[in-house]
Amino acid sequence: MNSPPRRGRPRSAERRRAVLDAAAELALTSAALPTMDAIASRAGVSRTTLYKWWPSTAAVLLEGLLERFHTSIEFDDDMPVRDALTAQVDALVHLLRDTPAGGLIRQLMAASISDAATSTALLDQWMEPRRQAALHHVARGVAAGELHAGTDPDLVVDALFAPAYHRLVWGHAPLDDDLAESVCALVWPAIAVPTSRPAADPAAPPAPDRGEHA
Amino acid sequence: MNSPPRRGRPRSAERRRAVLDAAAELALTSAALPTMDAIASRAGVSRTTLYKWWPSTAAVLLEGLLERFHTSIEFDDDMPVRDALTAQVDALVHLLRDTPAGGLIRQLMAASISDAATSTALLDQWMEPRRQAALHHVARGVAAGELHAGTDPDLVVDALFAPAYHRLVWGHAPLDDDLAESVCALVWPAIAVPTSRPAADPAAPPAPDRGEHA
Amino acid sequence: MNSPPRRGRPRSAERRRAVLDAAAELALTSAALPTMDAIASRAGVSRTTLYKWWPSTAAVLLEGLLERFHTSIEFDDDMPVRDALTAQVDALVHLLRDTPAGGLIRQLMAASISDAATSTALLDQWMEPRRQAALHHVARGVAAGELHAGTDPDLVVDALFAPAYHRLVWGHAPLDDDLAESVCALVWPAIAVPTSRPAADPAAPPAPDRGEHA
Amino acid sequence: MNSPPRRGRPRSAERRRAVLDAAAELALTSAALPTMDAIASRAGVSRTTLYKWWPSTAAVLLEGLLERFHTSIEFDDDMPVRDALTAQVDALVHLLRDTPAGGLIRQLMAASISDAATSTALLDQWMEPRRQAALHHVARGVAAGELHAGTDPDLVVDALFAPAYHRLVWGHAPLDDDLAESVCALVWPAIAVPTSRPAADPAAPPAPDRGEHA
DNA sequence: GTCTAAACGAGACGGTACGTCGTGTCTTCGG
DNA sequence: CCGAAGACACGACGTACCGTCTCGTTTAGAC
């Protein structure tokens, strides 16, 4: 059951770390993707080693990115659906704006446009898990009768997340603190099933929808 | 009022055309940005001439893009606001999906991430005119009382356009024919002032939902 | 006998001067041959004009050189042969060392090595006139019985002039003030017919020839 | 005492050879200095490699030249001084006329005029060793009382060698078989201490010195 | 005085070579 | 077998001059 009796010198974990860190630092201090040369010399590692374990700088960057931010996806199923979705978008906004992830994602998006392998990897390992988590909450909402049955989950999820990426890439507007909340508020009326409570007060019901998240 | 008495050999319009066309063709048949070398030889033009008029391949691509699609922005002020916005988004979706513009925009977005000059140019000359046109319609709607006064125009415009770019870049979902309509429908309930129709149903007003947060 | 009835605008003498001067100045302030571009802009003349009148920078330089130093060749036939030859060599040494001619000749020699046209022009218009003048004096010496009849004039002339050019090009030793005199003294004993002086001391004759010039 | 434990891939000797040969061939079949491009493609070597080891085509040429003709300098101290010097000049004449060295030297002289690095290298590695060897023989002659004590060694050496280079560069006269002998004969009477032979005929001595070589 | 043909200025253009940078592969040695 | 060092081929970069070309604009002498 244990691994086969590995022969030869084992791979050095320190060097892997050094490479991932060096790549991230370089990516964040320059507009363009770092070069293999630069990563190698910054990490104090030979180019040979680099090419042995990663096919491109984008691959290095992606591995570092995923390792650092592998959490930040899961959310409680006990949360109200709207809160859960808002929290996810909000987490993304903070990630993109306040952590190195934003810079790395920018570079990786650029790389993925001209490189199919990067594109696939980035989609599968970064985007899809987050999309699936969001889709899960949407499905939960539909199942619970909180959301209209005809809701297009993909569209809703894109509508929620796209503005954040859009502003990250184009830079024409800031990633505000309340962006997540605002976007959810913008989408919610169209998908939420009106709660059939006493309905006594026509003005009240909608209010709770967002009063507590602002 | 005529042009100044041009000295020297005039610039060749044919060569300009050949370059713009060659660059576009190359960009559309390969994943990565074409090289200056490739554009020059494809266009039958010397590299020197290329560098004389354009600083980078992205600049060539952008000029060709703008020249081909300089229209497609203007919309009738007599249209209902919602129709006007939907038409704009729809025009973008068709441009990105059914014309070379989609491929060119992808490449240019990638380039703009690592090159500030391209970023500025693309934003100013492609994105801003379209954004302004959309903002104009939103303002018109607010002025006419069709949209809530507190509407955040930037957010609304981003919410309308971002999904299309998002799908173009990530490719995780198609640019459907009805994407524009769907996105507008998703956003509309949150921003539209309820028409004083029979007004029989007091539960309808999603409106109060957001009047105060914009 | 007069020139044909010239039509059109005549060539500008000022520009010709400006070009020749600019070329010489540039050649003297840089190790390498000046470029056509540099000459043109320095002279305030268009490149077109330059190419119209001269095929290369070497041609410009040569024309300027010849114009400036077209004299400095002729010497008196009444001078003693040895003095005449010494004076010629001395004139060359001063030209190469104390005037711009040295720098120009260096550049032109370099150019002539890789360009046949320059080579021919330089040989015909610079070297040959000087060689012929020297050969004339040698022939005069032979005719007057001052020099041995078997003297090889070409060899003697080369022996006299070569050291100066050699030092100019290689720069391993200076062009001394007394170089001309020293070289002549070195060659003279071998070619001079001994004057039938008292001839008392058979060992002495060669010594005085160079004792006083060394 | 052995070499340090060489790390990395060792330099390829074949490529070095290929480059040196290609450069020499190109230099000999064209008037101008070969280009780095041409050398690289002729040698089947990448331009990068070329630039890694040599800063210019002149450097390549010089290295090839020195390697091929690194001998041809040393001469026997047992030889009579005059014979030794004549042999040296003769060796140079043959080198310049009958081997590729002549062509290479021409190109290198041209290059050295406009490039200080080439100039220094050519002087130090080609000219100086030969000059020193000649100076050695002259010093030997002075020490042995064969040459006048006041002889200027630099001048004598230049007088001996300059004519050969002069004719190589200017091409106005051929490098004859007997050039070395003729030049030595021309210089000898001025520097040789008369051998105290019978000294019977005071008029004869100079004559034999050159009578037979003219 | 025109007329006119050459000289001239400005600058676009196709080329060739430059020297550099980054890539990815290969070769050799040491841990 | 891992890793370091470094040679190497390749492709693109952006620049410098080259020599040619195509315009428009002088300008002095011929008519």
Side-chain angles (χ1 to χ4, degrees):
Chain A
M1 199 42 112
N2 51 3
S3 57
R6 288 287 183 186
R7 307 250 311 187
R9 179 171 170 177
R11 178 172 178 187
S12 161
E14 294 93 55
R15 291 173 219 267
R16 196 184 87 97
R17 270 259 55 79
V19 168
L20 298 183
D21 291 347
E25 286 166 37
L26 289 169
L28 295 171
T29 53
S30 125
L33 271 181
T35 69
M36 286 296 224
D37 277 333
I39 296 175
S41 74
R42 175 73 115 96
V45 149
S46 80
R47 288 217 337 261
T48 320
T49 304
L50 224 52
Y51 281 110
K52 174 154 209 159
W53 300 107
W54 297 277
S56 66
T57 62
V60 181
L61 248 35
L62 181 58
E63 186 170 328
L65 175 71
L66 294 174
E67 188 171 276
R68 266 176 225 246
F69 304 102
H70 58 97
T71 59
S72 82
I73 298 182
E74 297 310 326
F75 286 92
D76 193 351
D77 267 9
D78 299 336
M79 260 187 175
V81 169
R82 175 166 171 172
D83 292 353
L85 288 170
T86 304
Q88 280 193 319
V89 176
D90 201 51
L92 178 69
V93 168
H94 279 86
L95 218 52
L96 297 184
R97 190 188 61 188
D98 303 329
T99 73
L104 298 181
I105 287 286
R106 275 174 56 92
Q107 308 268 43
L108 287 167
M109 285 179 69
S112 83
I113 283 177
S114 52
D115 176 43
T118 301
S119 176
T120 305
L122 187 60
L123 199 54
D124 289 354
Q125 303 184 257
W126 175 265
M127 181 60 102
E128 271 309 306
R130 283 165 178 78
R131 265 176 50 77
Q132 291 305 329
L135 289 170
H136 165 75
H137 287 303
V138 172
R140 190 161 64 88
V142 171
E146 291 180 59
L147 302 184
H148 285 296
T151 305
D152 175 348
D154 285 325
L155 180 67
V156 170
V157 172
D158 280 356
L160 291 173
F161 287 100
Y165 287 106
H166 199 233
R167 291 190 173 183
L168 175 72
V169 170
W170 289 90
H172 62 288
L175 289 162
D176 293 321
D177 268 333
D178 60 353
L179 180 62
E181 179 53 39
S182 304
V183 168
C184 277
L186 199 58
V187 167
W188 209 250
I191 61 174
V193 171
T195 53
S196 49
R197 269 174 292 141
D201 184 358
D209 275 326
R210 48 155 308 287
E212 67 268 34
H213 325 110
Chain B
M1 238 2 106
N2 50 5
S3 58
R6 291 283 179 198
R7 309 259 303 195
R9 177 172 171 174
R11 178 172 179 187
S12 160
E14 294 94 57
R15 292 170 218 264
R16 197 185 87 99
R17 269 258 55 80
V19 168
L20 297 184
D21 291 348
E25 286 165 37
L26 288 169
L28 294 171
T29 52
S30 126
L33 271 180
T35 68
M36 285 298 224
D37 278 333
I39 295 175
S41 73
R42 174 73 113 98
V45 150
S46 80
R47 254 152 26 91
T48 318
T49 301
L50 223 51
Y51 281 110
K52 169 153 208 161
W53 300 107
W54 298 277
S56 66
T57 61
V60 182
L61 250 34
L62 180 58
E63 186 169 328
L65 175 71
L66 294 174
E67 189 172 273
R68 268 176 223 247
F69 303 102
H70 59 95
T71 60
S72 81
I73 297 181
E74 298 309 326
F75 287 92
D76 195 350
D77 267 11
D78 298 334
M79 262 187 176
V81 169
R82 176 169 169 171
D83 292 353
L85 289 171
T86 305
Q88 281 193 321
V89 177
D90 201 50
L92 178 69
V93 168
H94 279 85
L95 218 51
L96 297 184
R97 191 188 61 190
D98 303 329
T99 73
L104 298 181
I105 287 285
R106 275 173 56 91
Q107 308 269 40
L108 287 168
M109 285 179 70
S112 85
I113 284 177
S114 52
D115 176 41
T118 301
S119 176
T120 305
L122 186 59
L123 199 53
D124 289 354
Q125 303 185 257
W126 175 265
M127 180 59 103
E128 271 308 308
R130 284 165 176 78
R131 264 176 51 76
Q132 292 305 329
L135 288 170
H136 165 74
H137 288 303
V138 171
R140 188 160 65 88
V142 171
E146 292 179 57
L147 302 184
H148 286 295
T151 304
D152 176 349
D154 285 325
L155 180 67
V156 170
V157 171
D158 280 357
L160 292 173
F161 288 99
Y165 287 106
H166 198 231
R167 292 190 172 182
L168 175 73
V169 171
W170 290 90
H172 61 288
L175 289 163
D176 293 319
D177 268 334
D178 59 355
L179 180 62
E181 180 54 39
S182 303
V183 168
C184 276
L186 198 59
V187 167
W188 209 251
I191 61 174
V193 170
T195 54
S196 45
R197 274 174 289 138
D201 187 359
D209 274 326
R210 43 158 313 288
E212 66 269 33
H213 341 104
Chain C
M1 197 46 95
N2 52 2
S3 58
R6 287 285 182 189
R7 306 256 308 189
R9 179 174 172 178
R11 178 171 179 190
S12 160
E14 293 94 55
R15 292 172 219 267
R16 196 184 88 98
R17 269 258 56 78
V19 168
L20 297 184
D21 291 348
E25 286 165 37
L26 289 169
L28 294 171
T29 53
S30 123
L33 272 181
T35 69
M36 285 297 224
D37 277 332
I39 296 175
S41 75
R42 175 73 114 98
V45 150
S46 80
R47 287 212 341 245
T48 318
T49 304
L50 223 52
Y51 280 110
K52 172 154 210 161
W53 300 107
W54 297 277
S56 67
T57 63
V60 181
L61 248 37
L62 180 59
E63 187 169 328
L65 175 72
L66 294 174
E67 188 170 276
R68 267 177 224 247
F69 303 102
H70 58 95
T71 59
S72 82
I73 298 181
E74 298 309 326
F75 286 93
D76 194 351
D77 266 10
D78 298 335
M79 261 186 176
V81 170
R82 175 166 171 173
D83 291 352
L85 288 170
T86 304
Q88 280 193 321
V89 176
D90 200 51
L92 178 69
V93 168
H94 279 85
L95 218 53
L96 297 183
R97 191 188 61 191
D98 303 329
T99 73
L104 297 181
I105 288 285
R106 275 174 56 91
Q107 309 266 43
L108 287 168
M109 284 180 70
S112 84
I113 284 178
S114 52
D115 177 42
T118 301
S119 176
T120 305
L122 187 60
L123 198 55
D124 289 354
Q125 303 185 257
W126 175 265
M127 181 60 100
E128 271 308 308
R130 283 166 177 78
R131 265 176 50 77
Q132 292 306 329
L135 289 170
H136 165 74
H137 288 303
V138 171
R140 189 160 65 87
V142 171
E146 291 180 58
L147 302 184
H148 285 296
T151 304
D152 175 348
D154 285 325
L155 180 67
V156 169
V157 171
D158 281 356
L160 291 172
F161 287 100
Y165 287 106
H166 198 232
R167 290 189 173 183
L168 175 73
V169 170
W170 289 90
H172 62 288
L175 289 162
D176 294 319
D177 269 333
D178 59 354
L179 180 62
E181 181 54 38
S182 302
V183 168
C184 277
L186 199 58
V187 167
W188 209 251
I191 61 174
V193 171
T195 54
S196 45
R197 274 174 289 137
D201 185 358
D209 275 324
R210 47 158 304 288
E212 67 266 34
H213 325 111
Chain D
M1 228 13 101
N2 50 5
S3 57
R6 291 283 180 195
R7 309 260 304 195
R9 177 172 172 176
R11 178 172 178 188
S12 161
E14 295 94 59
R15 292 170 218 264
R16 198 185 87 99
R17 269 258 56 79
V19 168
L20 297 182
D21 291 348
E25 287 164 36
L26 288 168
L28 295 170
T29 54
S30 126
L33 270 182
T35 69
M36 285 296 223
D37 278 333
I39 296 175
S41 74
R42 174 73 113 99
V45 150
S46 81
R47 289 221 326 276
T48 318
T49 302
L50 225 50
Y51 281 110
K52 169 154 207 161
W53 299 108
W54 297 278
S56 65
T57 61
V60 182
L61 250 34
L62 180 59
E63 187 169 326
L65 175 72
L66 294 174
E67 189 172 274
R68 267 177 224 247
F69 303 101
H70 58 97
T71 59
S72 81
I73 298 181
E74 298 309 326
F75 287 93
D76 195 350
D77 266 11
D78 298 335
M79 261 186 175
V81 169
R82 175 165 170 175
D83 292 352
L85 288 170
T86 304
Q88 281 193 321
V89 177
D90 200 51
L92 178 68
V93 168
H94 279 86
L95 220 51
L96 297 184
R97 192 189 61 191
D98 302 329
T99 75
L104 298 181
I105 287 284
R106 274 173 56 92
Q107 309 269 39
L108 287 168
M109 285 180 68
S112 85
I113 284 178
S114 52
D115 176 42
T118 301
S119 176
T120 305
L122 187 59
L123 199 53
D124 289 354
Q125 302 185 257
W126 175 265
M127 180 60 103
E128 271 308 307
R130 284 165 176 78
R131 264 175 51 77
Q132 292 305 329
L135 289 170
H136 165 75
H137 288 303
V138 171
R140 188 160 65 87
V142 171
E146 290 179 59
L147 302 183
H148 286 296
T151 305
D152 176 348
D154 285 325
L155 180 68
V156 169
V157 172
D158 280 357
L160 291 173
F161 288 100
Y165 287 106
H166 198 232
R167 291 189 172 182
L168 175 73
V169 171
W170 289 90
H172 61 288
L175 289 162
D176 294 320
D177 268 333
D178 59 353
L179 179 63
E181 181 53 40
S182 303
V183 168
C184 276
L186 199 59
V187 167
W188 209 250
I191 61 174
V193 171
T195 53
S196 46
R197 271 176 289 139
D201 185 359
D209 275 324
R210 45 156 303 287
E212 66 268 34
H213 325 111

